Amino acid sequence: MTQGGQSKIVHPAPGLHGHLQQPPGDKSISHRVAMLAALAAGESVIHNFLPAEDCMNTLRAMEALGARSFFSEDGALHIHGTSGQVLEPAGPLDLGNSGTSIRLLAGLLAGYPITLEMTGDESLRSRPMSRIKVPLEEMGATVDLLGPDQGVPVRIKGGHLHGITYALPMASAQVKSCVLLAALNAPGTTVVIEPRPTRDHTERLLQTLDLPLTVDGLRITLHGPEAKAAPLPARVWTIPGDFSSAAYWLVAAAARPGAGVIIDRVGLNPRRTALLDVLQRMGAKVAITPQSEAGAEPVGTIAMQGGRLRATTVGGDEIPCLIDELPLVAVAGALAEGDTIIRDAAELRVKETDRIVTMIANLRQLGVAADEREDGMVIHGPARLKVAGSVRSYGDHRVAMAMAVLALFAPEPVCINNVSCVDTSYPGFWNDLKTLGGHAE
Ligand code: S3P
């Protein structure tokens, strides 16, 4: 590691090989389980919780609201819940880089008689928050967006909520979850209608807790409590491996004939795994062995065998089911024969960075021809990657890791600047790279 942990030199790898037996816990599910356990009555035990910065920010926020937690020697997280008695935090909750924390907590807390302020880092302060203000105010809360351009800090004055019917203006699991979590404390019926299917972890978890939630296509209905909500039950949870973290190795293997990786105990929720369809279309070979369900989620083993990739088009309903993998689709496109087109993906512009801009800048930096589109990009492959390239993460964990994957295919080592952001979602990334035969220093 160089420059005080801020940069990594990634060496070319002839092809990744190997077996990851326990990928890190799913980030989206870890956030949600920590929130629900922190409201429950009694102690919940959570296996394979992701102790990355984003989820630790959620956990710290839940402690500020009155929950208590510790990690036992076997690595399990124990959360002693508040029984629904949420304390008003003494000061602003700092959610760092985590959009999931701030948007879901806004909903979760909007039904409590407290006022709280939530803030975050520079990236979080630039992200749109009116998407949660609109439905939460319709439900009866007061949501003030104190930052410039209607952004973070967010101040919530919890109120007496009531159920609403809300048609989401954008495909966003975070906004959907925000409304559903608010509905836990909203007498009446809340209906959320999605424009396209997005990840459904919140729905699955609430159903696991026997809450009255039903799903009918794109319409989700939750019946709120008559008066005060009963406390949620405490329980044991097992978080599946994070498909979005496994995805780095899946693409690294997919794009090289002869390479192959096997990843066990990974989440196979179909609202998360559209990347597998894309890689298969591009010419990689995928074998899936389903295992038992971990809680409410399908889990299994993925074996990926590399091939000579050809370009594809990704758009429509596929987009929300691989939204966090789109930087990797761009990387696969750079290594594939032909023009890979990503469309209907304007949401990329409001992630931790504008990932259309930051990925194109980085791809070009390594000699890949790529064009920006309003709602995506076109990548002209296969690229002849430049010698002595250097790229930047722009502080975006998924950009840093996607570029590390592309660097494995470069003719010479590539320097990736500012990689500490990787800890946001995948603190073990560099170790797992080593386990699979890669090398970074
Ligand atoms: C997430 C949903 C997605 C995703 C994010 C995590 C979640 O965001 O990009 O990394 O946990 O619900 P949007 O719902 O805003 O698209």
Side-chain angles (χ1 to χ4, degrees):
M1 203 180 273
T2 56
Q3 293 178 24
Q6 293 302 300
S7 305
K8 282 273 184 188
I9 311 277
V10 178
H11 289 254
L16 294 194
H17 277 281
H19 196 160
L20 269 195
Q21 298 187 353
Q22 182 61 82
D26 186 278
K27 182 156 87 74
S28 288
I29 302 174
S30 293
H31 280 296
R32 288 159 169 80
V33 166
M35 290 178 194
L36 296 172
L39 289 184
E43 186 174 291
S44 296
V45 181
I46 306 165
H47 297 287
N48 205 32
F49 177 82
L50 176 70
E53 278 172 14
D54 263 18
C55 301
M56 293 308 287
N57 282 327
T58 288
L59 191 58
R60 277 191 285 268
M62 299 322 292
E63 294 209 324
L65 294 158
R68 289 289 160 263
S69 72
F70 68 94
F71 286 90
S72 50
E73 261 171 36
D74 62 356
L77 172 64
H78 299 242
I79 298 185
H80 197 90
T82 60
S83 256
Q85 303 293 317
V86 170
L87 301 177
E88 185 162 285
L93 301 179
D94 186 349
L95 284 323
N97 193 244
S98 179
T100 305
S101 308
I102 201 163
R103 294 198 178 111
L104 271 58
L105 280 173
L108 191 77
L109 299 173
Y112 290 90
I114 56 173
T115 299
L116 80 156
E117 200 174 303
M118 295 189 285
T119 187
D121 69 8
E122 196 183 329
S123 155
L124 195 64
R125 278 186 265 123
S126 74
R127 298 184 68 185
M129 293 296 148
S130 47
R131 51 179 63 193
I132 55 165
K133 174 182 167 83
V134 171
L136 291 179
E137 293 207 325
E138 212 175 306
M139 294 177 88
T142 304
V143 180
D144 296 318
L145 304 179
L146 307 172
D149 301 327
Q150 295 276 292
V152 174
V154 175
R155 185 171 55 220
I156 314 244
K157 193 166 176 309
H160 294 287
L161 303 187
H162 53 84
I164 59 168
T165 294
Y166 191 65
L168 290 174
M170 74 293 289
S172 166
Q174 289 181 352
V175 180
K176 170 179 64 175
S177 301
C178 169
V179 177
L180 292 175
L181 292 172
L184 293 178
N185 286 304
T189 300
T190 293
V191 180
V192 181
I193 303 156
E194 300 198 84
R196 295 183 192 282
T198 66
R199 65 187 67 190
D200 59 357
H201 305 305
T202 304
E203 297 91 302
R204 287 170 180 259
L205 291 170
L206 296 181
Q207 284 176 329
T208 302
L209 292 173
D210 288 333
L211 288 153
L213 181 144
T214 51
V215 180
D216 178 12
L218 294 173
R219 197 181 167 90
I220 304 133
T221 303
L222 178 60
H223 296 289
E226 294 285 318
K228 195 174 163 3
L232 300 172
R235 48 165 288 160
V236 176
W237 300 95
T238 299
I239 313 273
D242 194 323
F243 181 84
S244 298
S245 297
Y248 299 101
W249 319 124
L250 296 176
V251 169
R256 180 97 73 186
V261 298
I262 297 175
I263 308 192
D264 281 332
R265 294 198 259 181
V266 63
L268 293 175
N269 182 321
R271 303 269 181 102
R272 295 288 299 281
T273 54
L275 177 73
L276 294 178
D277 305 326
V278 171
L279 293 176
Q280 272 174 310
R281 276 206 307 271
M282 294 179 88
K285 284 204 177 66
V286 181
I288 294 175
T289 315
Q291 291 159 355
S292 59
E293 302 248 320
E297 296 279 342
V299 173
T301 297
I302 304 174
M304 174 66 71
Q305 253 185 292
R308 210 165 282 289
L309 298 187
R310 44 187 185 274
T312 189
T313 296
V314 180
D317 277 359
E318 221 163 34
I319 293 295
C321 302
L322 48 52
I323 185 75
D324 291 342
E325 287 67 71
L326 286 171
L328 277 170
V329 171
V331 165
L335 300 167
E337 181 74 44
D339 291 349
T340 291
I341 301 168
I342 298 175
R343 55 176 164 74
D344 307 318
E347 278 291 303
L348 279 180
R349 295 202 180 272
V350 291
K351 293 297 175 189
E352 285 80 332
T353 57
D354 177 337
R355 287 182 178 157
I356 297 177
V357 168
T358 50
M359 280 306 296
I360 287 190
N362 273 332
L363 291 171
R364 289 184 181 157
Q365 198 64 26
L366 288 194
V368 181
D371 306 323
E372 181 172 343
R373 297 276 183 270
E374 201 50 53
D375 66 344
M377 55 186 119
V378 180
I379 304 105
H380 308 284
R384 286 186 51 158
L385 297 181
K386 264 192 207 155
V387 171
S390 160
V391 297
R392 297 168 55 188
S393 71
Y394 297 88
D396 184 333
H397 55 131
R398 298 210 188 275
V399 170
M401 292 184 278
M403 293 313 296
V405 169
L406 185 57
L408 299 171
F409 294 83
E412 298 280 343
V414 172
C415 177
I416 311 202
N417 286 303
N418 188 12
V419 293
S420 49
C421 53
V422 165
D423 291 348
T424 302
S425 65
Y426 198 168
F429 179 80
W430 305 108
N431 271 344
D432 287 349
L433 173 65
K434 198 167 156 204
T435 303
L436 296 173
H439 176 51
E441 60 193 327

